[in-house]
Amino acid sequence: AQKVTQAQTEISVVEKEDVTLDCVYETRDTTYYLFWYKQPPSGELVFLIRRNSFDEQNEISGRYSWNFQKSTSSFNFTITASQVVDSAVYFCALTPAGGTSYGKLTFGQGTILTVHP
Amino acid sequence: EPEVTQTPSHQVTQMGQEVILRCVPISNHLYFYWYRQILGQKVEFLVSFYNNEISEKSEIFDDQFSVERPDGSNFTLKIRSTKLEDSAMYFCASSGSSGGARTGELFFGEGSRLTVL
């Protein structure tokens, strides 16, 4: 069974602050993929990143960066210099890599991020 | 940028009625999914579909649910006799191949909100 835990239910920051959203996962699969999605107030799920379990390199995309640590089963997401438009619910998700199970995402409970002006 | 589109955006129905939610996946994608999100809760996997067959389904996806790809572009979710607890946001998603494997990025549509009265 797979499990994704996002222990931070809500985070509130002031614009320009850096913020890190935590994600810890459990899986028995040897290969898997991790995802982050953003859900703005309008409700859609916006793809942010997909990471293969073999690839532990950190990734940076503009103000976003991700820290994947297989040893601690964590895939944390940092927003640098946060902006009001970053206010959303952020979901971490996990899927097995193999066979027909790919795409069967297990989501965390989500972290509500509010960025105040 | 290609996107997954869903209709209707919101449907209100009476308990016991049949509902069909429609999705147009990204055109070159081969793998299709339905997820649901009950208000304020996490996103849950319902079913995955490939080559005109269900690949995987969750415990939620009981006999009241069915999926179909009636033509080359649409992917539908039918709920045969809706219950109050079916009220949720339903998300369609699609993914393509990556390096010949079914491990492409998974993109979601904007969701169809179903309200059962």
Short mmCIF file of all heavy atoms in Angstrom, two decimals, chain B residues 53-95:
data_model
loop_
_atom_site.label_atom_id
_atom_site.label_comp_id
_atom_site.label_asym_id
_atom_site.label_seq_id
_atom_site.Cartn_x
_atom_site.Cartn_y
_atom_site.Cartn_z
N GLU B 53 -9.81 -0.65 -22.57
CA GLU B 53 -10.07 -1.53 -21.42
C GLU B 53 -9.69 -0.81 -20.13
O GLU B 53 -8.79 0.02 -20.13
CB GLU B 53 -9.20 -2.79 -21.50
CG GLU B 53 -9.62 -3.77 -22.54
CD GLU B 53 -8.76 -5.03 -22.48
OE1 GLU B 53 -7.74 -5.04 -21.75
OE2 GLU B 53 -9.11 -5.99 -23.17
N ILE B 54 -10.36 -1.18 -19.06
CA ILE B 54 -9.95 -0.69 -17.75
C ILE B 54 -8.64 -1.37 -17.36
O ILE B 54 -8.52 -2.60 -17.43
CB ILE B 54 -11.05 -0.98 -16.70
CG1 ILE B 54 -12.26 -0.08 -16.97
CG2 ILE B 54 -10.52 -0.77 -15.30
CD1 ILE B 54 -13.45 -0.37 -16.07
N SER B 55 -7.66 -0.56 -16.96
CA SER B 55 -6.38 -1.11 -16.50
C SER B 55 -6.42 -1.40 -15.01
O SER B 55 -6.02 -2.46 -14.55
CB SER B 55 -5.25 -0.12 -16.79
OG SER B 55 -5.18 0.20 -18.15
N GLU B 56 -6.88 -0.40 -14.27
CA GLU B 56 -6.99 -0.54 -12.82
C GLU B 56 -8.23 0.22 -12.36
O GLU B 56 -8.63 1.18 -13.00
CB GLU B 56 -5.77 0.07 -12.11
CG GLU B 56 -4.44 -0.53 -12.48
CD GLU B 56 -3.77 -1.21 -11.31
OE1 GLU B 56 -4.26 -1.12 -10.18
OE2 GLU B 56 -2.73 -1.86 -11.54
N LYS B 57 -8.80 -0.23 -11.24
CA LYS B 57 -9.89 0.53 -10.65
C LYS B 57 -9.79 0.42 -9.14
O LYS B 57 -9.24 -0.53 -8.60
CB LYS B 57 -11.25 0.03 -11.15
CG LYS B 57 -11.53 -1.42 -10.86
CD LYS B 57 -12.88 -1.80 -11.45
CE LYS B 57 -13.18 -3.27 -11.13
NZ LYS B 57 -14.50 -3.69 -11.65
N SER B 58 -10.34 1.43 -8.48
CA SER B 58 -10.30 1.44 -7.02
C SER B 58 -11.58 0.83 -6.46
O SER B 58 -12.53 0.54 -7.21
CB SER B 58 -10.13 2.87 -6.52
OG SER B 58 -11.32 3.60 -6.73
N GLU B 59 -11.60 0.70 -5.13
CA GLU B 59 -12.80 0.15 -4.47
C GLU B 59 -13.99 1.07 -4.66
O GLU B 59 -15.14 0.65 -4.59
CB GLU B 59 -12.54 -0.04 -2.97
CG GLU B 59 -11.28 -0.79 -2.61
CD GLU B 59 -10.04 0.07 -2.73
OE1 GLU B 59 -10.05 1.24 -2.27
OE2 GLU B 59 -9.06 -0.42 -3.32
N ILE B 60 -13.72 2.36 -4.87
CA ILE B 60 -14.81 3.31 -5.05
C ILE B 60 -15.54 3.00 -6.35
O ILE B 60 -16.76 3.18 -6.46
CB ILE B 60 -14.26 4.75 -5.14
CG1 ILE B 60 -13.45 5.10 -3.89
CG2 ILE B 60 -15.38 5.76 -5.35
CD1 ILE B 60 -12.64 6.37 -4.05
N PHE B 61 -14.83 2.54 -7.33
CA PHE B 61 -15.38 2.33 -8.68
C PHE B 61 -16.18 1.04 -8.69
O PHE B 61 -15.70 -0.02 -9.14
CB PHE B 61 -14.23 2.29 -9.69
CG PHE B 61 -14.67 2.41 -11.12
CD1 PHE B 61 -14.83 3.66 -11.72
CD2 PHE B 61 -14.93 1.29 -11.90
CE1 PHE B 61 -15.23 3.78 -13.04
CE2 PHE B 61 -15.33 1.40 -13.22
CZ PHE B 61 -15.48 2.65 -13.79
N ASP B 62 -17.40 1.11 -8.18
CA ASP B 62 -18.23 -0.09 -8.11
C ASP B 62 -19.11 -0.20 -9.35
O ASP B 62 -18.90 0.52 -10.34
CB ASP B 62 -19.05 -0.08 -6.81
CG ASP B 62 -19.99 1.12 -6.73
OD1 ASP B 62 -20.34 1.70 -7.79
OD2 ASP B 62 -20.37 1.48 -5.61
N ASP B 63 -20.10 -1.06 -9.29
CA ASP B 63 -20.92 -1.34 -10.47
C ASP B 63 -21.76 -0.15 -10.93
O ASP B 63 -22.33 -0.18 -12.01
CB ASP B 63 -21.86 -2.52 -10.19
CG ASP B 63 -21.09 -3.81 -10.04
OD1 ASP B 63 -19.91 -3.84 -10.47
OD2 ASP B 63 -21.64 -4.79 -9.50
N GLN B 64 -21.86 0.87 -10.11
CA GLN B 64 -22.61 2.05 -10.50
C GLN B 64 -21.84 2.91 -11.50
O GLN B 64 -22.40 3.77 -12.15
CB GLN B 64 -22.92 2.92 -9.27
CG GLN B 64 -23.87 2.29 -8.28
CD GLN B 64 -25.25 2.13 -8.87
OE1 GLN B 64 -25.70 2.90 -9.72
NE2 GLN B 64 -25.94 1.10 -8.45
N PHE B 65 -20.53 2.67 -11.57
CA PHE B 65 -19.66 3.47 -12.42
C PHE B 65 -19.29 2.67 -13.68
O PHE B 65 -19.11 1.45 -13.63
CB PHE B 65 -18.37 3.84 -11.70
CG PHE B 65 -18.54 4.80 -10.56
CD1 PHE B 65 -18.79 4.35 -9.28
CD2 PHE B 65 -18.43 6.17 -10.77
CE1 PHE B 65 -18.93 5.24 -8.22
CE2 PHE B 65 -18.57 7.07 -9.73
CZ PHE B 65 -18.83 6.60 -8.45
N SER B 66 -19.13 3.39 -14.77
CA SER B 66 -18.58 2.77 -15.97
C SER B 66 -17.85 3.85 -16.77
O SER B 66 -18.13 5.05 -16.62
CB SER B 66 -19.66 2.11 -16.82
OG SER B 66 -20.60 3.07 -17.27
N VAL B 67 -16.90 3.41 -17.57
CA VAL B 67 -16.17 4.32 -18.43
C VAL B 67 -16.21 3.80 -19.85
O VAL B 67 -16.35 2.60 -20.09
CB VAL B 67 -14.70 4.51 -17.99
CG1 VAL B 67 -14.60 5.33 -16.71
CG2 VAL B 67 -13.98 3.18 -17.84
N GLU B 68 -16.06 4.75 -20.76
CA GLU B 68 -16.15 4.38 -22.17
C GLU B 68 -15.38 5.38 -23.00
O GLU B 68 -15.26 6.56 -22.63
CB GLU B 68 -17.63 4.42 -22.59
CG GLU B 68 -17.92 3.77 -23.90
CD GLU B 68 -19.41 3.81 -24.23
OE1 GLU B 68 -20.09 4.75 -23.81
OE2 GLU B 68 -19.87 2.90 -24.92
N ARG B 69 -14.82 4.89 -24.09
CA ARG B 69 -14.24 5.79 -25.07
C ARG B 69 -15.05 5.59 -26.34
O ARG B 69 -14.73 4.76 -27.18
CB ARG B 69 -12.77 5.45 -25.28
CG ARG B 69 -12.01 6.44 -26.13
CD ARG B 69 -10.54 6.41 -25.78
NE ARG B 69 -9.72 7.01 -26.81
CZ ARG B 69 -9.49 8.31 -26.92
NH1 ARG B 69 -10.03 9.15 -26.07
NH2 ARG B 69 -8.69 8.79 -27.87
N PRO B 70 -16.15 6.32 -26.46
CA PRO B 70 -17.11 6.04 -27.54
C PRO B 70 -16.60 6.37 -28.93
O PRO B 70 -17.10 5.83 -29.92
CB PRO B 70 -18.31 6.92 -27.16
CG PRO B 70 -17.73 8.02 -26.33
CD PRO B 70 -16.56 7.43 -25.61
N ASP B 71 -15.62 7.26 -29.01
CA ASP B 71 -15.06 7.60 -30.31
C ASP B 71 -13.58 7.90 -30.11
O ASP B 71 -13.04 7.62 -29.05
CB ASP B 71 -15.82 8.79 -30.92
CG ASP B 71 -15.86 9.96 -29.95
OD1 ASP B 71 -14.82 10.27 -29.34
OD2 ASP B 71 -16.93 10.58 -29.82
N GLY B 72 -12.93 8.46 -31.11
CA GLY B 72 -11.49 8.67 -31.01
C GLY B 72 -11.06 9.80 -30.11
O GLY B 72 -9.88 9.96 -29.86
N SER B 73 -12.04 10.57 -29.59
CA SER B 73 -11.60 11.73 -28.82
C SER B 73 -12.19 11.79 -27.42
O SER B 73 -11.54 12.26 -26.50
CB SER B 73 -11.93 13.02 -29.57
OG SER B 73 -13.31 13.10 -29.83
N ASN B 74 -13.40 11.31 -27.22
CA ASN B 74 -14.04 11.46 -25.91
C ASN B 74 -13.75 10.29 -24.99
O ASN B 74 -13.53 9.15 -25.43
CB ASN B 74 -15.56 11.59 -26.09
CG ASN B 74 -15.94 12.93 -26.65
OD1 ASN B 74 -15.93 13.93 -25.96
ND2 ASN B 74 -16.29 12.94 -27.94
N PHE B 75 -13.76 10.59 -23.71
CA PHE B 75 -13.62 9.58 -22.66
C PHE B 75 -14.66 9.94 -21.61
O PHE B 75 -14.65 11.04 -21.09
CB PHE B 75 -12.20 9.62 -22.10
CG PHE B 75 -11.92 8.66 -20.98
CD1 PHE B 75 -12.23 7.31 -21.10
CD2 PHE B 75 -11.32 9.09 -19.81
CE1 PHE B 75 -11.96 6.42 -20.08
CE2 PHE B 75 -11.05 8.21 -18.78
CZ PHE B 75 -11.36 6.87 -18.90
N THR B 76 -15.59 9.01 -21.34
CA THR B 76 -16.71 9.36 -20.48
C THR B 76 -16.73 8.53 -19.20
O THR B 76 -16.27 7.38 -19.18
CB THR B 76 -18.04 9.16 -21.21
OG1 THR B 76 -18.17 7.79 -21.56
CG2 THR B 76 -18.12 10.01 -22.47
N LEU B 77 -17.29 9.14 -18.18
CA LEU B 77 -17.56 8.46 -16.92
C LEU B 77 -19.06 8.51 -16.71
O LEU B 77 -19.66 9.60 -16.71
CB LEU B 77 -16.85 9.16 -15.76
CG LEU B 77 -17.18 8.63 -14.36
CD1 LEU B 77 -16.59 7.24 -14.14
CD2 LEU B 77 -16.64 9.59 -13.28
N LYS B 78 -19.67 7.35 -16.54
CA LYS B 78 -21.11 7.28 -16.29
C LYS B 78 -21.35 6.79 -14.88
O LYS B 78 -20.74 5.82 -14.42
CB LYS B 78 -21.78 6.32 -17.28
CG LYS B 78 -23.31 6.26 -17.11
CD LYS B 78 -23.94 5.10 -17.85
CE LYS B 78 -23.90 5.26 -19.33
NZ LYS B 78 -24.65 4.17 -20.03
N ILE B 79 -22.23 7.50 -14.20
CA ILE B 79 -22.70 7.05 -12.90
C ILE B 79 -24.16 6.67 -13.09
O ILE B 79 -24.99 7.53 -13.44
CB ILE B 79 -22.56 8.12 -11.80
CG1 ILE B 79 -21.12 8.67 -11.79
CG2 ILE B 79 -22.90 7.52 -10.44
CD1 ILE B 79 -20.92 9.84 -10.84
N ARG B 80 -24.47 5.41 -12.90
CA ARG B 80 -25.76 4.89 -13.32
C ARG B 80 -26.91 5.42 -12.47
O ARG B 80 -27.93 5.83 -12.99
CB ARG B 80 -25.74 3.36 -13.26
CG ARG B 80 -26.92 2.71 -13.94
CD ARG B 80 -26.72 1.20 -14.12
NE ARG B 80 -25.52 0.94 -14.89
CZ ARG B 80 -24.52 0.20 -14.46
NH1 ARG B 80 -24.55 -0.38 -13.31
NH2 ARG B 80 -23.45 0.00 -15.21
N SER B 81 -26.77 5.41 -11.19
CA SER B 81 -27.84 5.83 -10.29
C SER B 81 -27.18 6.61 -9.15
O SER B 81 -26.67 6.02 -8.19
CB SER B 81 -28.60 4.62 -9.75
OG SER B 81 -29.59 5.02 -8.83
N THR B 82 -27.17 7.92 -9.29
CA THR B 82 -26.37 8.73 -8.38
C THR B 82 -26.89 8.69 -6.95
O THR B 82 -28.11 8.58 -6.70
CB THR B 82 -26.34 10.19 -8.86
OG1 THR B 82 -27.67 10.63 -9.13
CG2 THR B 82 -25.50 10.34 -10.11
N LYS B 83 -25.94 8.77 -6.03
CA LYS B 83 -26.25 8.84 -4.60
C LYS B 83 -25.76 10.19 -4.09
O LYS B 83 -24.92 10.85 -4.72
CB LYS B 83 -25.56 7.72 -3.85
CG LYS B 83 -25.88 6.31 -4.38
CD LYS B 83 -25.36 5.24 -3.45
CE LYS B 83 -23.98 4.80 -3.77
NZ LYS B 83 -23.90 3.83 -4.86
N LEU B 84 -26.25 10.57 -2.92
CA LEU B 84 -25.81 11.83 -2.34
C LEU B 84 -24.29 11.88 -2.19
O LEU B 84 -23.67 12.92 -2.44
CB LEU B 84 -26.46 12.05 -0.97
CG LEU B 84 -27.96 12.23 -0.95
CD1 LEU B 84 -28.46 12.34 0.49
CD2 LEU B 84 -28.38 13.46 -1.74
N GLU B 85 -23.71 10.75 -1.81
CA GLU B 85 -22.26 10.71 -1.57
C GLU B 85 -21.42 10.74 -2.85
O GLU B 85 -20.20 10.77 -2.78
CB GLU B 85 -21.88 9.49 -0.73
CG GLU B 85 -22.37 8.18 -1.27
CD GLU B 85 -23.68 7.73 -0.65
OE1 GLU B 85 -24.56 8.59 -0.40
OE2 GLU B 85 -23.84 6.51 -0.43
N ASP B 86 -22.09 10.74 -3.99
CA ASP B 86 -21.34 10.91 -5.26
C ASP B 86 -21.05 12.38 -5.54
O ASP B 86 -20.32 12.69 -6.49
CB ASP B 86 -22.14 10.33 -6.43
CG ASP B 86 -22.28 8.82 -6.35
OD1 ASP B 86 -21.35 8.16 -5.84
OD2 ASP B 86 -23.33 8.31 -6.78
N SER B 87 -21.60 13.26 -4.74
CA SER B 87 -21.32 14.69 -4.92
C SER B 87 -19.82 14.93 -4.72
O SER B 87 -19.27 14.61 -3.65
CB SER B 87 -22.11 15.52 -3.92
OG SER B 87 -23.49 15.45 -4.18
N ALA B 88 -19.19 15.47 -5.74
CA ALA B 88 -17.74 15.65 -5.70
C ALA B 88 -17.32 16.38 -6.96
O ALA B 88 -18.11 16.59 -7.89
CB ALA B 88 -17.02 14.30 -5.64
N MET B 89 -16.05 16.75 -7.00
CA MET B 89 -15.43 17.21 -8.24
C MET B 89 -14.81 15.99 -8.90
O MET B 89 -14.08 15.24 -8.24
CB MET B 89 -14.36 18.26 -7.94
CG MET B 89 -13.67 18.79 -9.18
SD MET B 89 -14.68 19.99 -10.06
CE MET B 89 -14.04 21.49 -9.33
N TYR B 90 -15.11 15.78 -10.15
CA TYR B 90 -14.55 14.66 -10.89
C TYR B 90 -13.52 15.20 -11.89
O TYR B 90 -13.83 16.06 -12.71
CB TYR B 90 -15.65 13.88 -11.60
CG TYR B 90 -16.50 13.09 -10.63
CD1 TYR B 90 -17.54 13.71 -9.93
CD2 TYR B 90 -16.25 11.75 -10.38
CE1 TYR B 90 -18.30 13.00 -9.01
CE2 TYR B 90 -17.01 11.03 -9.47
CZ TYR B 90 -18.03 11.67 -8.79
OH TYR B 90 -18.77 10.97 -7.87
N PHE B 91 -12.34 14.64 -11.79
CA PHE B 91 -11.25 15.06 -12.67
C PHE B 91 -10.91 13.97 -13.66
O PHE B 91 -10.74 12.80 -13.28
CB PHE B 91 -9.98 15.38 -11.87
CG PHE B 91 -10.06 16.61 -11.03
CD1 PHE B 91 -10.29 16.53 -9.67
CD2 PHE B 91 -9.89 17.86 -11.60
CE1 PHE B 91 -10.35 17.67 -8.88
CE2 PHE B 91 -9.95 19.02 -10.83
CZ PHE B 91 -10.19 18.91 -9.47
N CYS B 92 -10.78 14.36 -14.90
CA CYS B 92 -10.25 13.48 -15.93
C CYS B 92 -8.77 13.81 -16.09
O CYS B 92 -8.36 14.97 -15.91
CB CYS B 92 -10.99 13.72 -17.23
SG CYS B 92 -10.36 12.83 -18.65
N ALA B 93 -7.96 12.81 -16.41
CA ALA B 93 -6.55 13.04 -16.65
C ALA B 93 -6.10 12.15 -17.80
O ALA B 93 -6.72 11.13 -18.10
CB ALA B 93 -5.71 12.74 -15.40
N SER B 94 -5.01 12.56 -18.43
CA SER B 94 -4.44 11.71 -19.48
C SER B 94 -2.92 11.80 -19.42
O SER B 94 -2.36 12.76 -18.89
CB SER B 94 -4.96 12.11 -20.86
OG SER B 94 -4.45 13.35 -21.28
N SER B 95 -2.30 10.75 -19.93
CA SER B 95 -0.84 10.74 -19.99
C SER B 95 -0.40 10.03 -21.27
O SER B 95 -1.13 9.22 -21.83
CB SER B 95 -0.23 10.06 -18.76
OG SER B 95 -0.57 8.69 -18.71
#
